[in-house]
Amino acid sequence: MPRSTRRGVAQEPGDDLGRYSDPPLLILASLGDGPKHGHAMIEDIVAMAGTRLGPGTLYGAIARLERDGLIEPLAADDRRQPYRLTAQGRRVLKAKLATLHEFARAGLRKLEA
Amino acid sequence: MNARLARRLAALYPSAWRQRYGDEFCKLLEDEPVSTRAIVNVIAAAVAEHIRWTFDNGDACQRSLQFLSGAALAAFAAGVNFYWTVVDTPLAPAMSAHAALRACWLLVQAGAFVFGLAIVATAASTVPATLRDVVKARRWGLVAGLVPMMLVPLATITWMTIASWPSGSNAATWPTIPAHWWLVSTIVLLLIVDLFACAAMMRDLTGGRQATTRRAGWLKANAVALTCAAGMMAAGAVGWGLFAEQYAAANVHGVAFLGSAALALVAARPRRSTTTTDEDGRLSTRTID
């Protein structure tokens, strides 16, 4: 599945090395503070991670997450379809973020040593 | 992005995917600014989605048919290439005097004959039922998509015949070796494209239908025959290469035939099951035994 296609924020050299750009995780994180439809997710992810997901990438990941039971659709607003985290999705997101947090702490410890 | 472009881009996705996500995806595309990167992203994602829907969904019989169509095209491409590799060389007349060489060539021909019979038997058992379903459900779009797919091998063979037809003073030297390789490479490329189109079309043709459900045993028998036939062709090609001391050519074709045998072997594992499509266009599979 294609990944991000466009960077949304001006960068310093090396800025993108630390950017986490796994689309499913970005979507789960974006839905962490409440339901959103596709366009709102894209903008939220730009603000949160500096990565702009392409429409195809976004919906490929949405389909996968829905199939895995990590997100679920709500009633459509016009033709915009909002999604929210399921209980399982919330658990997976927490576990993933905790792992990343540990990883970041370990990396920082190594730098300070 | 304007609504027309959005609809055209969404139309690139598999039909079952469109039934579920098409409308909201179109709305998202309309909300997004037009850019080359966004269009390329959607096209690439649509291709990936076709591959995923083709090979990850559907019942065992549908997957068997997809693998069988792949095996048939792979073996066909390898066979055409092998024939062209041999027919223009002094090895072709030499085969009449060299018993082992001739035996290997006959083994390849016998394998191709069995392979052809199995393909015809598979098609005879599934195509009428599938077409009945298509006509009954008035899915003319699928028929329209199927026709060019079927025409690709026909057009390829016709073009190959015309291009290689000896004419005038060039009769003895045409096609030249570079032209020969260009023709063969293009044919193989076209057949590979057709292989994927064929598999994707098979997915849509049999999607949500039960045309293949009662034919699991027949499919399995044909898939086993295809596996054996492709194995015979692989052995014949490698043996031919051994006696003709054309190891490189023989290995390439042997591997290609073995690849088609592997695809047919995967196809030889159908189970009786039924696939249905729910209101949202999702496919669900229920195994019967």
Side-chain angles (χ1 to χ4, degrees):
Chain A
M1 190 63 62
R3 296 295 175 88
S4 153
T5 58
R6 195 163 38 173
R7 300 295 183 193
V9 179
Q11 298 165 37
E12 293 292 323
D15 268 5
D16 57 344
L17 291 177
R19 183 164 288 120
Y20 196 76
S21 60
D22 181 42
L25 184 58
L26 289 172
I27 291 170
L28 290 177
S30 172
L31 296 178
D33 61 352
K36 288 181 189 65
H37 55 72
H39 186 64
M41 280 185 227
I42 288 177
E43 297 303 329
D44 188 54
I45 289 167
V46 170
M48 178 174 59
T51 296
R52 190 173 187 91
L53 297 182
T57 305
L58 180 83
Y59 259 84
I62 285 177
R64 204 154 71 242
L65 289 169
E66 191 188 357
R67 192 186 64 214
D68 294 344
L70 302 182
I71 64 173
E72 61 188 359
L74 298 171
D77 172 19
D78 187 14
R79 287 161 58 213
R80 292 190 176 94
Q81 177 70 65
Y83 289 86
R84 72 176 172 196
L85 289 178
T86 61
Q88 190 191 355
R90 193 168 288 279
R91 277 197 301 276
V92 168
L93 176 60
K94 265 188 181 176
K96 289 272 184 191
L97 292 178
T99 304
L100 280 175
H101 185 62
E102 284 304 313
F103 173 72
R105 282 179 58 184
L108 286 169
R109 273 201 304 272
K110 282 177 186 290
L111 278 177
E112 287 163 4
Chain B
M1 191 178 293
N2 67 53
R4 190 176 173 189
L5 178 58
R7 275 199 308 276
R8 289 196 170 180
L9 286 173
L12 298 174
Y13 279 79
S15 59
W17 191 95
R18 285 201 310 272
Q19 284 174 34
R20 168 61 188 87
Y21 298 105
D23 201 36
E24 55 187 282
F25 187 61
C26 277
K27 181 62 184 164
L28 171 68
L29 292 178
E30 288 168 27
D31 288 342
E32 286 289 295
V34 186
S35 72
T36 307
R37 284 180 174 180
I39 291 171
V40 170
N41 177 263
V42 171
I43 293 170
V47 171
E49 209 60 46
H50 268 290
I51 292 170
R52 195 181 73 73
W53 275 89
T54 298
F55 294 106
D56 283 2
N57 290 283
D59 66 15
C61 289
Q62 290 170 340
R63 279 197 295 277
S64 286
L65 276 176
Q66 289 159 10
F67 279 109
L68 285 182
S69 59
L73 284 168
F76 182 68
V80 168
N81 207 7
F82 188 50
Y83 175 78
W84 270 45
T85 303
V86 175
V87 77
D88 280 352
T89 67
L91 286 165
M95 279 196 290
S96 58
H98 194 298
L101 209 55
R102 179 154 183 78
C104 291
W105 185 252
L106 285 174
L107 187 61
V108 176
Q109 286 183 323
F113 182 70
V114 175
F115 205 97
L117 281 183
I119 289 296
V120 169
T122 305
S125 70
T126 54
V127 170
T130 305
L131 285 179
R132 267 201 306 275
D133 280 340
V134 168
V135 172
K136 198 173 166 185
R138 296 179 180 279
R139 305 174 83 193
W140 305 121
L142 285 179
V143 178
L146 185 65
V147 170
M149 187 192 82
M150 294 298 189
L151 286 179
V152 167
L154 192 63
T156 306
I157 292 166
T158 308
W159 170 59
M160 182 178 77
T161 307
I162 293 169
S164 61
W165 198 262
S167 59
S169 58
N170 292 331
T173 55
W174 176 256
T176 60
I177 295 298
H180 175 124
W181 283 102
W182 274 109
L183 286 168
V184 171
S185 305
T186 312
I187 289 162
V188 171
L189 186 67
L190 281 171
L191 286 170
I192 289 170
V193 171
D194 203 50
L195 187 156
F196 281 104
C198 185
M201 190 57 66
M202 202 65 80
R203 148 86 273 139
D204 279 348
L205 272 175
T206 56
R209 308 289 157 201
Q210 297 188 23
T212 60
T213 302
R214 293 182 301 278
R215 292 170 176 78
W218 184 242
L219 275 180
K220 186 169 186 168
N222 285 330
V224 170
L226 287 173
T227 307
C228 295
M232 284 166 66
M233 289 191 279
V238 171
W240 180 88
L242 189 70
F243 293 117
E245 296 185 359
Q246 297 281 324
Y247 303 113
N251 288 341
V252 167
H253 294 103
V255 166
F257 285 129
L258 279 178
S260 66
L263 284 172
L265 189 64
V266 174
R269 301 176 56 201
R271 290 169 300 161
R272 289 170 66 85
S273 57
T274 180
T275 299
T276 53
T277 309
D278 66 20
E279 289 174 0
D280 291 326
R282 294 174 212 235
L283 294 171
S284 59
T285 302
R286 185 168 62 86
T287 301
I288 294 172
D289 60 359

